[in-house]
Amino acid sequence: MSNSTGDEQLQKEFPPLKNNLILRACRGEKIERVPIWIMRQAGRYLPEYLSIRSQHSFFDVCRTPSICCEVTLQPLRRFDLDAAIIFSDILVVPQALGMQVDMIAKEGPRFAHPLNVPADIKTSIDRNKKASIELKYVYDAITLTRHTLDGRCPLIGFSGAPWTLMSYMIEGKGSETHAKAKKWLYTYVEDSHDLLQFLTHFIIDYLVEQVCAGAQLLQLFESHCVRDLLSRRQIPHVPLIIFAKDAHYALDELCSSSFDVVGLDWTITRKQIRTLREKYPNITLQGNLDPCALYASQNDLEKMIKQMIEIFGTKNYIANLGHGIYPDANIDNVKYFVDTIHRISKDIIKNETIPKIINSNK
Ligand code: CP3
Protein backbone atom coordinates (compact mmCIF):
# COMPACT_ATOMS: atom_id res chain seq x y z
CA MET A 1 0.00 0.00 0.00
CA SER A 2 2.80 2.38 0.88
CA ASN A 3 4.16 2.53 -2.67
CA SER A 4 0.84 3.07 -4.43
CA THR A 5 -0.02 6.56 -5.56
CA GLY A 6 -3.18 8.31 -4.46
CA ASP A 7 -4.79 7.92 -7.85
CA GLU A 8 -4.21 4.17 -8.01
CA GLN A 9 -5.30 3.33 -4.51
CA LEU A 10 -8.46 5.37 -4.49
CA GLN A 11 -9.57 4.21 -7.92
CA LYS A 12 -10.11 0.76 -6.44
CA GLU A 13 -13.09 2.02 -4.52
CA PHE A 14 -14.31 5.08 -6.43
CA PRO A 15 -15.32 5.67 -10.06
CA PRO A 16 -12.30 6.27 -12.33
CA LEU A 17 -11.22 9.87 -12.72
CA LYS A 18 -12.09 11.37 -16.12
CA ASN A 19 -10.38 14.73 -15.55
CA ASN A 20 -7.11 14.71 -13.60
CA LEU A 21 -5.79 18.02 -15.00
CA ILE A 22 -5.39 19.62 -11.58
CA LEU A 23 -3.49 16.62 -10.19
CA ARG A 24 -1.14 16.74 -13.19
CA ALA A 25 -0.64 20.49 -12.72
CA CYS A 26 0.30 19.87 -9.06
CA ARG A 27 3.00 17.44 -10.23
CA GLY A 28 4.24 19.79 -12.96
CA GLU A 29 3.22 17.33 -15.67
CA LYS A 30 2.07 18.09 -19.19
CA ILE A 31 -1.47 19.43 -19.45
CA GLU A 32 -3.60 20.33 -22.45
CA ARG A 33 -5.20 23.33 -20.73
CA VAL A 34 -4.78 25.17 -17.41
CA PRO A 35 -7.05 23.75 -14.68
CA ILE A 36 -9.31 26.13 -12.78
CA TRP A 37 -11.44 26.11 -9.64
CA ILE A 38 -12.76 29.02 -7.60
CA MET A 39 -12.37 29.62 -3.89
CA ARG A 40 -15.85 29.56 -2.28
CA GLN A 41 -17.25 28.30 -5.57
CA ALA A 42 -20.36 27.04 -3.76
CA GLY A 43 -22.06 29.94 -2.06
CA ARG A 44 -24.28 32.94 -1.94
CA TYR A 45 -23.72 34.24 -5.49
CA LEU A 46 -25.67 31.17 -6.71
CA PRO A 47 -29.50 31.43 -6.45
CA GLU A 48 -29.73 27.63 -6.06
CA TYR A 49 -27.46 27.88 -2.96
CA LEU A 50 -29.61 30.69 -1.49
CA SER A 51 -32.68 28.56 -2.07
CA ILE A 52 -31.20 25.71 -0.01
CA ARG A 53 -30.03 28.17 2.66
CA SER A 54 -33.60 29.54 2.97
CA GLN A 55 -34.59 26.09 4.27
CA HIS A 56 -31.48 25.04 6.22
CA SER A 57 -29.03 26.81 8.53
CA PHE A 58 -25.42 27.06 7.38
CA PHE A 59 -24.12 24.38 9.76
CA ASP A 60 -27.09 22.10 9.04
CA VAL A 61 -25.99 22.14 5.39
CA CYS A 62 -22.46 21.21 6.52
CA ARG A 63 -23.74 18.43 8.81
CA THR A 64 -26.15 16.75 6.40
CA PRO A 65 -24.12 14.78 3.82
CA SER A 66 -26.88 14.68 1.16
CA ILE A 67 -27.40 18.48 1.29
CA CYS A 68 -23.68 19.13 1.59
CA CYS A 69 -23.08 17.00 -1.52
CA GLU A 70 -25.81 18.84 -3.44
CA VAL A 71 -24.36 22.27 -2.56
CA THR A 72 -20.82 21.12 -3.43
CA LEU A 73 -21.99 20.04 -6.89
CA GLN A 74 -24.11 23.13 -7.69
CA PRO A 75 -21.27 25.21 -9.21
CA LEU A 76 -20.14 22.23 -11.33
CA ARG A 77 -23.52 22.15 -13.08
CA ARG A 78 -23.02 25.73 -14.25
CA PHE A 79 -19.28 25.92 -14.89
CA ASP A 80 -16.64 23.68 -16.49
CA LEU A 81 -14.58 23.51 -13.28
CA ASP A 82 -11.60 21.17 -12.88
CA ALA A 83 -12.08 20.50 -9.14
CA ALA A 84 -14.86 20.39 -6.56
CA ILE A 85 -14.23 21.54 -2.97
CA ILE A 86 -16.26 19.94 -0.21
CA PHE A 87 -18.76 22.37 1.27
CA SER A 88 -17.88 23.05 4.90
CA ASP A 89 -16.17 25.72 7.00
CA ILE A 90 -12.91 26.02 8.89
CA LEU A 91 -14.90 26.63 12.10
CA VAL A 92 -16.28 23.09 12.28
CA VAL A 93 -13.03 22.27 14.11
CA PRO A 94 -13.58 24.55 17.14
CA GLN A 95 -17.17 23.25 17.16
CA ALA A 96 -15.89 19.67 17.24
CA LEU A 97 -13.77 20.61 20.26
CA GLY A 98 -16.86 21.77 22.13
CA MET A 99 -17.08 25.49 21.33
CA GLN A 100 -20.38 26.97 20.19
CA VAL A 101 -20.15 28.82 16.88
CA ASP A 102 -23.15 30.32 15.09
CA MET A 103 -23.32 31.81 11.61
CA ILE A 104 -25.07 35.18 11.87
CA ALA A 105 -26.68 36.49 8.67
CA LYS A 106 -24.85 39.49 7.15
CA GLU A 107 -22.22 39.37 9.95
CA GLY A 108 -20.43 36.03 9.78
CA PRO A 109 -19.37 33.52 12.42
CA ARG A 110 -19.74 34.32 16.13
CA PHE A 111 -18.41 32.30 19.08
CA ALA A 112 -20.78 32.20 22.09
CA HIS A 113 -17.84 32.04 24.54
CA PRO A 114 -14.47 32.99 23.03
CA LEU A 115 -11.29 32.18 24.98
CA ASN A 116 -10.29 35.17 27.14
CA VAL A 117 -7.59 33.70 29.37
CA PRO A 118 -5.77 30.34 29.31
CA ALA A 119 -8.00 28.99 32.11
CA ASP A 120 -10.88 29.15 29.60
CA ILE A 121 -9.23 26.41 27.53
CA LYS A 122 -10.07 23.85 30.20
CA THR A 123 -13.72 24.82 30.40
CA SER A 124 -14.31 25.46 26.66
CA ILE A 125 -12.29 22.71 24.98
CA ASP A 126 -12.61 19.00 25.53
CA ARG A 127 -9.15 17.60 24.78
CA ASN A 128 -10.48 14.05 24.65
CA LYS A 129 -12.51 14.73 21.53
CA LYS A 130 -11.35 12.80 18.47
CA ALA A 131 -11.40 14.30 14.98
CA SER A 132 -12.24 10.85 13.59
CA ILE A 133 -15.49 10.76 15.61
CA GLU A 134 -16.64 14.36 15.97
CA LEU A 135 -16.26 15.25 12.30
CA LYS A 136 -17.60 12.02 10.84
CA TYR A 137 -20.30 13.99 9.04
CA VAL A 138 -17.58 15.68 6.95
CA TYR A 139 -16.04 12.33 5.95
CA ASP A 140 -19.48 10.94 5.07
CA ALA A 141 -20.14 14.02 2.91
CA ILE A 142 -16.75 13.59 1.19
CA THR A 143 -17.36 9.90 0.41
CA LEU A 144 -20.88 10.57 -0.90
CA THR A 145 -19.70 13.51 -3.01
CA ARG A 146 -16.75 11.57 -4.42
CA HIS A 147 -19.14 8.82 -5.56
CA THR A 148 -21.71 11.30 -6.90
CA LEU A 149 -19.01 13.18 -8.86
CA ASP A 150 -18.59 9.91 -10.78
CA GLY A 151 -14.98 10.77 -11.60
CA ARG A 152 -15.82 14.06 -13.28
CA CYS A 153 -12.96 15.86 -11.46
CA PRO A 154 -11.02 15.57 -8.18
CA LEU A 155 -12.51 16.54 -4.81
CA ILE A 156 -10.60 18.95 -2.55
CA GLY A 157 -10.74 18.63 1.26
CA PHE A 158 -9.60 21.43 3.54
CA SER A 159 -8.98 22.74 7.02
CA GLY A 160 -8.10 25.97 8.71
CA ALA A 161 -4.53 25.87 10.02
CA PRO A 162 -3.64 26.13 13.73
CA TRP A 163 -2.96 29.86 14.00
CA THR A 164 -6.06 30.81 11.99
CA LEU A 165 -8.25 28.63 14.22
CA MET A 166 -6.60 29.80 17.44
CA SER A 167 -7.17 33.39 16.36
CA TYR A 168 -10.90 32.78 15.75
CA MET A 169 -11.25 30.92 19.08
CA ILE A 170 -9.83 33.94 20.95
CA GLU A 171 -11.28 36.80 18.90
CA GLY A 172 -14.66 35.06 18.70
CA LYS A 173 -15.20 36.43 15.18
CA GLY A 174 -13.24 37.69 12.19
CA SER A 175 -10.65 40.34 13.02
CA GLU A 176 -8.61 42.78 10.95
CA THR A 177 -5.71 43.01 13.43
CA HIS A 178 -5.91 39.75 15.42
CA ALA A 179 -4.80 41.94 18.34
CA LYS A 180 -6.51 39.88 21.04
CA ALA A 181 -5.06 36.63 19.70
CA LYS A 182 -1.60 38.13 19.16
CA LYS A 183 -1.67 39.42 22.71
CA TRP A 184 -1.89 35.77 23.82
CA LEU A 185 1.28 34.96 21.85
CA TYR A 186 3.19 37.62 23.80
CA THR A 187 1.59 37.27 27.26
CA TYR A 188 0.74 33.57 27.51
CA VAL A 189 3.67 32.15 25.58
CA GLU A 190 3.56 28.58 26.85
CA ASP A 191 -0.21 28.28 26.80
CA SER A 192 -0.21 29.58 23.23
CA HIS A 193 2.40 27.01 22.15
CA ASP A 194 0.43 24.32 23.88
CA LEU A 195 -2.85 25.30 22.20
CA LEU A 196 -1.21 25.53 18.76
CA GLN A 197 0.37 22.12 19.26
CA PHE A 198 -2.93 20.57 20.30
CA LEU A 199 -4.72 22.11 17.30
CA THR A 200 -1.94 20.91 14.98
CA HIS A 201 -2.44 17.27 16.03
CA PHE A 202 -6.21 17.54 15.79
CA ILE A 203 -6.02 19.12 12.31
CA ILE A 204 -3.63 16.44 11.04
CA ASP A 205 -6.04 13.72 12.20
CA TYR A 206 -8.87 15.62 10.52
CA LEU A 207 -7.01 15.91 7.18
CA VAL A 208 -5.88 12.27 7.26
CA GLU A 209 -9.52 11.18 7.75
CA GLN A 210 -10.59 13.39 4.83
CA VAL A 211 -8.10 11.62 2.55
CA CYS A 212 -9.25 8.21 3.79
CA ALA A 213 -12.84 9.29 3.02
CA GLY A 214 -11.92 10.22 -0.56
CA ALA A 215 -10.41 13.73 -0.69
CA GLN A 216 -7.90 13.89 -3.57
CA LEU A 217 -6.22 17.21 -2.75
CA LEU A 218 -6.06 19.20 0.47
CA GLN A 219 -6.03 22.95 0.92
CA LEU A 220 -4.84 24.42 4.16
CA PHE A 221 -5.87 27.92 5.01
CA GLU A 222 -2.45 29.08 6.46
CA SER A 223 0.48 26.77 7.65
CA HIS A 224 2.37 24.83 10.46
CA CYS A 225 1.36 21.14 10.38
CA VAL A 226 2.59 19.87 7.03
CA ARG A 227 5.59 17.67 7.63
CA ASP A 228 3.80 15.46 10.15
CA LEU A 229 0.94 15.02 7.74
CA LEU A 230 3.26 13.90 4.95
CA SER A 231 4.93 11.38 7.24
CA ARG A 232 1.64 9.54 7.81
CA ARG A 233 2.55 6.88 5.28
CA GLN A 234 -0.65 4.92 5.64
CA ILE A 235 -2.45 7.50 3.52
CA PRO A 236 -1.84 7.98 -0.19
CA HIS A 237 0.08 11.10 -1.15
CA VAL A 238 -2.34 13.83 -2.09
CA PRO A 239 -1.17 17.26 -3.23
CA LEU A 240 -1.20 19.89 -0.50
CA ILE A 241 -2.19 23.46 -1.27
CA ILE A 242 -1.39 26.28 1.13
CA PHE A 243 -3.39 29.46 0.86
CA ALA A 244 -2.05 32.01 3.34
CA LYS A 245 -3.85 35.27 2.73
CA ASP A 246 -1.77 38.44 3.17
CA ALA A 247 1.42 36.35 3.49
CA HIS A 248 3.36 38.38 0.92
CA TYR A 249 6.30 38.58 3.37
CA ALA A 250 6.41 34.77 3.80
CA LEU A 251 6.21 33.55 0.19
CA ASP A 252 9.82 32.31 0.22
CA GLU A 253 9.16 30.23 3.34
CA LEU A 254 5.93 28.84 1.90
CA CYS A 255 7.63 27.91 -1.38
CA SER A 256 10.49 26.22 0.52
CA SER A 257 8.15 24.18 2.78
CA SER A 258 6.63 20.81 1.94
CA PHE A 259 3.65 22.15 0.01
CA ASP A 260 3.03 21.11 -3.57
CA VAL A 261 1.01 24.22 -4.36
CA VAL A 262 1.23 27.78 -3.03
CA GLY A 263 -1.90 29.87 -3.46
CA LEU A 264 -1.33 33.58 -4.03
CA ASP A 265 -3.79 36.25 -2.99
CA TRP A 266 -4.69 39.02 -5.41
CA THR A 267 -2.28 41.57 -3.84
CA ILE A 268 0.80 39.65 -5.07
CA THR A 269 2.37 41.66 -7.87
CA ARG A 270 3.49 40.47 -11.32
CA LYS A 271 7.09 41.15 -10.32
CA GLN A 272 6.77 38.92 -7.24
CA ILE A 273 5.16 36.17 -9.33
CA ARG A 274 8.01 36.29 -11.89
CA THR A 275 10.58 36.07 -9.06
CA LEU A 276 8.81 33.08 -7.49
CA ARG A 277 8.64 31.33 -10.87
CA GLU A 278 12.41 31.76 -11.38
CA LYS A 279 13.37 30.70 -7.85
CA TYR A 280 10.94 27.79 -7.45
CA PRO A 281 10.26 26.30 -10.91
CA ASN A 282 8.88 23.07 -9.41
CA ILE A 283 6.32 24.67 -7.14
CA THR A 284 2.83 24.89 -8.59
CA LEU A 285 1.32 28.34 -8.11
CA GLN A 286 -2.41 28.99 -7.71
CA GLY A 287 -4.31 32.22 -8.16
CA ASN A 288 -4.70 35.11 -8.24
CA LEU A 289 -7.32 37.14 -10.11
CA ASP A 290 -8.79 39.94 -7.99
CA PRO A 291 -12.34 38.77 -7.10
CA CYS A 292 -13.48 42.29 -8.05
CA ALA A 293 -12.23 41.72 -11.62
CA LEU A 294 -15.45 39.72 -12.09
CA TYR A 295 -17.31 43.06 -12.07
CA ALA A 296 -15.41 44.20 -15.21
CA SER A 297 -16.64 44.00 -18.80
CA GLN A 298 -15.85 40.69 -20.52
CA ASN A 299 -13.52 42.58 -22.83
CA ASP A 300 -11.45 43.85 -19.89
CA LEU A 301 -11.75 40.52 -18.09
CA GLU A 302 -10.26 38.74 -21.10
CA LYS A 303 -7.27 41.12 -21.08
CA MET A 304 -6.66 40.49 -17.36
CA ILE A 305 -6.94 36.71 -17.83
CA LYS A 306 -4.47 36.83 -20.74
CA GLN A 307 -2.01 38.81 -18.65
CA MET A 308 -2.41 36.41 -15.75
CA ILE A 309 -1.65 33.33 -17.89
CA GLU A 310 1.34 35.13 -19.47
CA ILE A 311 2.85 35.84 -16.06
CA PHE A 312 2.20 32.45 -14.45
CA GLY A 313 2.79 30.39 -17.59
CA THR A 314 0.76 27.27 -18.35
CA LYS A 315 2.98 24.73 -16.55
CA ASN A 316 2.74 24.20 -12.77
CA TYR A 317 -0.23 26.54 -12.66
CA ILE A 318 -3.80 26.33 -11.30
CA ALA A 319 -6.02 29.29 -12.14
CA ASN A 320 -8.19 30.68 -9.34
CA LEU A 321 -9.26 33.92 -7.76
CA GLY A 322 -6.92 35.59 -5.26
CA HIS A 323 -9.54 35.16 -2.49
CA GLY A 324 -13.06 33.79 -2.11
CA ILE A 325 -15.70 34.90 -4.61
CA TYR A 326 -18.04 37.69 -3.44
CA PRO A 327 -21.78 37.15 -2.92
CA ASP A 328 -22.66 39.72 -5.63
CA ALA A 329 -20.34 38.24 -8.26
CA ASN A 330 -21.70 38.31 -11.81
CA ILE A 331 -22.52 34.68 -12.67
CA ASP A 332 -22.08 35.22 -16.43
CA ASN A 333 -18.59 36.54 -15.76
CA VAL A 334 -17.73 33.53 -13.57
CA LYS A 335 -18.59 31.31 -16.53
CA TYR A 336 -16.62 33.61 -18.83
CA PHE A 337 -13.60 33.44 -16.46
CA VAL A 338 -13.62 29.63 -16.42
CA ASP A 339 -14.16 29.24 -20.19
CA THR A 340 -11.60 31.93 -21.08
CA ILE A 341 -8.88 30.35 -18.92
CA HIS A 342 -9.50 27.09 -20.78
CA ARG A 343 -9.67 28.66 -24.25
CA ILE A 344 -6.60 30.89 -23.98
CA SER A 345 -4.41 28.31 -22.24
CA LYS A 346 -5.40 25.60 -24.75
CA ASP A 347 -4.32 27.88 -27.63
CA ILE A 348 -1.01 28.74 -25.95
CA ILE A 349 -0.19 25.09 -25.23
CA LYS A 350 -1.15 24.04 -28.77
CA ASN A 351 1.14 26.68 -30.27
CA GLU A 352 3.97 25.65 -27.95
CA THR A 353 3.83 22.04 -29.11
CA ILE A 354 3.52 22.64 -32.88
CA PRO A 355 7.22 23.47 -33.47
CA LYS A 356 8.25 20.34 -31.54
CA ILE A 357 6.05 18.09 -33.72
CA ILE A 358 7.50 19.65 -36.91
CA ASN A 359 11.02 19.10 -35.58
CA SER A 360 10.40 15.50 -34.64
CA ASN A 361 9.11 14.77 -38.17
CA LYS A 362 12.37 15.91 -39.76
O1 CP3 B 1 -14.59 27.17 -1.02
C1 CP3 B 1 -15.68 26.57 -0.87
O2 CP3 B 1 -16.62 26.62 -1.68
C2 CP3 B 1 -15.79 25.67 0.35
C3 CP3 B 1 -16.47 26.21 1.47
C4 CP3 B 1 -15.79 27.21 2.39
C5 CP3 B 1 -16.56 28.10 3.20
N1 CP3 B 1 -15.72 28.76 4.03
C6 CP3 B 1 -18.03 28.23 3.12
C7 CP3 B 1 -18.69 29.44 3.67
C8 CP3 B 1 -14.44 27.42 2.73
C9 CP3 B 1 -13.19 26.78 2.14
C10 CP3 B 1 -14.40 28.38 3.79
C11 CP3 B 1 -13.14 28.81 4.44
C12 CP3 B 1 -13.17 29.83 5.49
N2 CP3 B 1 -14.19 30.05 6.39
C13 CP3 B 1 -12.09 30.71 5.82
C14 CP3 B 1 -10.73 30.75 5.15
C15 CP3 B 1 -10.74 31.41 3.83
C16 CP3 B 1 -11.15 32.84 3.79
O3 CP3 B 1 -12.22 33.11 3.24
O4 CP3 B 1 -10.41 33.69 4.30
C17 CP3 B 1 -12.53 31.50 6.88
C18 CP3 B 1 -11.73 32.59 7.55
C19 CP3 B 1 -13.85 31.07 7.25
C20 CP3 B 1 -14.70 31.58 8.34
C21 CP3 B 1 -15.93 32.19 7.80
N3 CP3 B 1 -17.03 31.48 7.33
C22 CP3 B 1 -16.23 33.57 7.68
C23 CP3 B 1 -15.31 34.69 8.09
C24 CP3 B 1 -17.49 33.67 7.13
C25 CP3 B 1 -18.29 34.95 6.94
C26 CP3 B 1 -17.84 35.69 5.75
C27 CP3 B 1 -18.74 35.38 4.62
O5 CP3 B 1 -18.24 35.17 3.51
O6 CP3 B 1 -19.95 35.37 4.86
C28 CP3 B 1 -17.96 32.36 6.87
C29 CP3 B 1 -19.26 32.00 6.24
C30 CP3 B 1 -19.25 31.09 5.07
N4 CP3 B 1 -18.39 30.05 4.86
C31 CP3 B 1 -20.17 31.15 3.97
C32 CP3 B 1 -19.82 30.11 3.10
C33 CP3 B 1 -20.51 29.71 1.82
C34 CP3 B 1 -21.35 32.11 3.84
C35 CP3 B 1 -22.33 31.84 4.90
C36 CP3 B 1 -23.76 31.62 4.48
O7 CP3 B 1 -24.08 30.89 3.53
O8 CP3 B 1 -24.61 32.18 5.17
Side-chain angles (χ1 to χ4, degrees):
M1 202 190 213
S2 62
N3 64 357
S4 70
T5 67
D7 298 10
E8 284 161 8
Q9 192 193 331
L10 294 172
Q11 273 174 13
K12 285 176 197 155
E13 297 165 37
F14 291 108
L17 203 46
K18 295 165 199 154
N19 171 356
N20 67 354
L21 269 181
I22 193 167
L23 298 177
R24 280 186 276 149
C26 291
R27 298 189 288 247
E29 292 172 8
K30 200 169 167 301
I31 37 106
E32 50 283 359
R33 56 169 212 237
V34 164
I36 177 168
W37 68 282
I38 292 173
M39 284 193 279
R40 298 261 184 121
Q41 63 192 25
R44 288 165 299 181
Y45 70 107
L46 295 176
E48 57 271 34
Y49 171 81
L50 292 177
S51 155
I52 288 200
R53 281 282 283 108
S54 69
Q55 298 159 50
H56 307 275
S57 76
F58 177 80
F59 288 112
D60 278 351
V61 175
C62 299
R63 287 192 195 110
T64 315
S66 58
I67 307 176
C68 179
C69 170
E70 163 61 22
V71 166
T72 301
L73 297 179
Q74 282 177 343
L76 282 95
R77 295 195 190 109
R78 284 184 182 262
F79 317 120
D80 190 12
L81 295 158
D82 297 301
I85 178 162
I86 194 67
F87 187 83
S88 187
D89 197 83
I90 61 167
L91 300 176
V92 299
V93 167
Q95 279 181 340
L97 294 171
M99 298 185 81
Q100 188 190 328
V101 187
D102 300 299
M103 199 58 81
I104 313 289
K106 298 201 172 81
E107 286 186 33
R110 288 285 178 282
F111 283 65
H113 307 286
L115 305 174
N116 284 313
V117 289
D120 293 340
I121 296 177
K122 266 210 173 74
T123 48
S124 302
I125 293 178
D126 182 349
R127 289 202 180 219
N128 294 317
K129 298 269 193 209
K130 295 266 175 284
S132 58
I133 296 167
E134 300 301 325
L135 292 160
K136 186 170 178 296
Y137 64 87
V138 178
Y139 320 133
D140 289 345
I142 287 176
T143 304
L144 175 65
T145 306
R146 175 89 184 264
H147 278 293
T148 313
L149 270 168
D150 196 24
R152 175 173 161 179
C153 62
L155 179 61
I156 305 174
F158 72 90
S159 173
W163 165 245
T164 300
L165 292 184
M166 175 177 162
S167 175
Y168 267 97
M169 288 156 73
I170 293 169
E171 302 278 350
K173 55 185 181 179
S175 159
E176 285 290 319
T177 62
H178 306 279
K180 207 178 150 201
K182 278 176 75 183
K183 186 175 166 190
W184 268 55
L185 297 181
Y186 289 105
T187 15
Y188 312 124
V189 181
E190 279 190 17
D191 294 297
S192 295
H193 268 295
D194 186 55
L195 180 56
L196 285 169
Q197 196 62 51
F198 170 74
L199 287 170
T200 301
H201 290 304
F202 194 89
I203 290 164
I204 291 172
D205 288 344
Y206 179 41
L207 291 172
V208 166
E209 292 289 343
Q210 290 189 44
V211 174
C212 294
Q216 290 151 295
L217 294 96
L218 294 173
Q219 175 152 312
L220 196 58
F221 290 91
E222 181 249 312
S223 55
H224 285 132
C225 62
V226 183
R227 283 193 186 86
D228 282 353
L229 178 69
L230 293 176
S231 67
R232 298 267 187 111
R233 281 297 164 208
Q234 75 271 29
I235 61 162
H237 176 83
V238 297
L240 273 179
I241 309 170
I242 175 74
F243 177 71
K245 193 176 159 279
D246 296 328
H248 52 88
Y249 53 85
L251 292 174
D252 273 307
E253 281 87 345
L254 294 176
C255 285
S256 329
S257 308
S258 313
F259 297 101
D260 303 278
V261 183
V262 175
L264 303 179
D265 71 43
W266 60 271
T267 68
I268 307 303
T269 63
R270 289 177 216 167
K271 201 172 153 207
Q272 284 173 297
I273 296 168
R274 285 211 180 88
T275 309
L276 291 175
R277 268 284 178 247
E278 280 167 25
K279 278 174 90 173
Y280 310 100
N282 297 324
I283 290 285
T284 294
L285 297 176
Q286 174 176 284
N288 76 338
L289 190 77
D290 183 350
C292 291
L294 296 175
Y295 302 128
S297 69
Q298 294 191 346
N299 210 1
D300 288 346
L301 190 52
E302 170 151 355
K303 282 183 204 151
M304 291 185 271
I305 292 168
K306 238 183 207 149
Q307 262 183 355
M308 191 168 85
I309 301 178
E310 269 166 26
I311 293 155
F312 281 98
T314 54
K315 193 172 169 287
N316 283 97
Y317 176 47
I318 299 167
N320 204 321
L321 296 176
H323 196 208
I325 191 167
Y326 294 130
D328 63 345
N330 174 333
I331 297 182
D332 290 339
N333 277 5
V334 178
K335 181 168 164 38
Y336 188 79
F337 176 37
V338 173
D339 291 343
T340 307
I341 286 284
H342 283 158
R343 172 169 53 81
I344 294 180
S345 64
K346 214 185 250 173
D347 281 351
I348 294 175
I349 294 168
K350 215 191 275 165
N351 288 335
E352 281 168 355
T353 50
I354 287 170
K356 282 184 205 145
I357 294 166
I358 293 170
N359 283 341
S360 67
N361 282 343
K362 275 183 186 168

